[in-house]
Amino acid sequence: MAQRGQSGAAGRTPRAPAENAAEITTPMPAIHGNGLRDRARAIPEAAVARLAVYLRVLSGMREQGISSVSSEELSVAAGVNSAKLRKDLSYIGSYGTRGVGYEVEVLVDQIERVLGLTREQSVAVVGIGNLGHALANYGGFPGRGFPVTALFDVDPDLMGVPVGGIPVDHIDDIRAVCAAREITIGVIATPPPAAQAVCDRLVQAGVECILNFAPVVLQVPETVEVRKVDLAVELQILSFHVARRADHAPADDATPAPRVDGRVNGTAPNGVVVRR
């Protein structure tokens, strides 16, 4: 999906460190145990999604050598208004410094801790069709802390065949393999009829976070978090926007009105029809 604000940090000259370090955001003390969990529980789900966007933008700024950023600059790069951004960051205990903004490195660390990215989350993909192959071969996951370490399918021709460097196991081995490789996130990329059974196996294996690409509603215990990605629904939403814009767009095939003696449609400026 297209992300807004990706170009916000591009082309910027790295900002020189402030002469007075006290002017930059003071690093927040580390939050551990119940304190971190309580803070994470208080964050609305919509804000969590935006924090992930902020992290992507901030990581890009860090790579460019940018040391600090104002709320206005970060909000433009992330595609949100600055008031909402400041509210989101207040959930993680970061308020910035008036006139200076936020220290990029500190903010990255805070967001990573709240999002649970201080350690890698091992991922298993179930269903090695076209989508499963693409997910297994995508190189962007490991760099963001989500290495795909297990693959499962039922096709006997795929058993033991490496995809993205990982051999495919049978779904009957989900429990043993997930336990051995400490899988924390399961990705379901199976046909719809098989999705629930696969989900049940992942839950039995102790996987409590599932990303579901199958166009079905999964039944899971309350302790299991499921995120659904329905590409057809996303395309339908985009189709709505295309249709709405087409309904409000001026007709491109409208022919210029005929002019009679310099008057449009044979009508004089005073509204009198001119006949020839």
Side-chain angles (χ1 to χ4, degrees):
M1 293 183 290
Q3 298 290 336
R4 298 174 57 192
Q6 288 185 350
S7 61
R12 292 183 50 191
T13 302
R15 182 177 299 177
E19 295 181 2
N20 184 357
E23 294 179 352
I24 302 298
T25 311
T26 303
M28 299 292 292
I31 306 172
H32 301 289
N34 292 334
L36 180 58
R37 288 193 293 270
D38 291 343
R39 175 167 291 177
R41 291 191 190 101
I43 304 176
E45 188 168 338
V48 173
R50 291 191 294 270
L51 285 173
V53 175
Y54 304 153
L55 179 60
R56 173 178 54 78
V57 174
L58 288 162
S59 297
M61 291 180 174
R62 181 174 61 179
E63 291 174 0
Q64 296 179 49
I66 298 171
S67 60
S68 62
V69 60
S70 69
S71 59
E72 288 75 15
E73 291 171 326
L74 183 54
S75 66
V76 170
V80 302
N81 65 65
S82 58
K84 181 176 291 185
L85 178 137
R86 288 191 291 269
K87 177 66 173 177
D88 291 340
L89 296 183
S90 72
Y91 288 121
I92 65 173
S94 186
Y95 298 92
T97 301
R98 183 178 295 276
V100 177
Y102 300 88
E103 186 174 351
V104 170
E105 188 67 37
V106 172
L107 203 49
V108 167
D109 178 69
Q110 290 174 327
I111 296 175
E112 285 183 341
R113 284 190 287 115
V114 169
L115 294 182
L117 300 177
T118 52
R119 71 179 185 90
E120 289 188 337
Q121 306 291 339
S122 296
V123 177
V125 177
V126 186
I128 313 303
N130 291 334
L131 178 57
H133 267 85
L135 295 172
N137 282 292
Y138 178 55
F141 291 145
R144 296 192 179 187
F146 300 96
V148 176
T149 59
L151 304 175
F152 300 97
D153 204 285
V154 294
D155 187 345
D157 292 336
L158 290 176
M159 297 302 102
V161 176
V163 178
I166 303 169
V168 178
D169 290 298
H170 196 278
I171 62 170
D172 289 343
D173 299 324
I174 283 180
R175 176 177 292 187
V177 173
C178 286
R181 301 180 191 176
E182 299 182 337
I183 300 298
T184 54
I185 298 175
V187 178
I188 298 177
T190 66
Q196 184 62 58
V198 166
C199 176
D200 294 341
R201 289 174 182 259
L202 288 171
V203 172
Q204 292 167 5
V207 178
E208 295 186 339
C209 292
I210 295 173
L211 183 62
N212 178 30
F213 282 92
V216 295
V217 177
L218 298 176
Q219 303 299 319
V220 297
E222 292 184 359
T223 56
V224 176
E225 182 71 22
V226 176
R227 300 287 298 180
K228 183 179 179 181
V229 181
D230 193 325
L231 299 179
V233 169
E234 299 300 328
L235 291 172
Q236 289 165 352
I237 293 172
L238 290 175
S239 175
F240 163 78
H241 289 290
V242 171
R244 184 174 64 176
R245 292 181 182 182
D247 290 341
H248 291 83
D252 293 334
D253 58 351
T255 55
R259 305 181 67 87
V260 179
D261 294 334
R263 300 175 179 87
V264 178
N265 290 329
T267 304
N270 59 5
V272 177
V273 176
V274 178
R275 299 184 183 279
R276 303 186 67 180

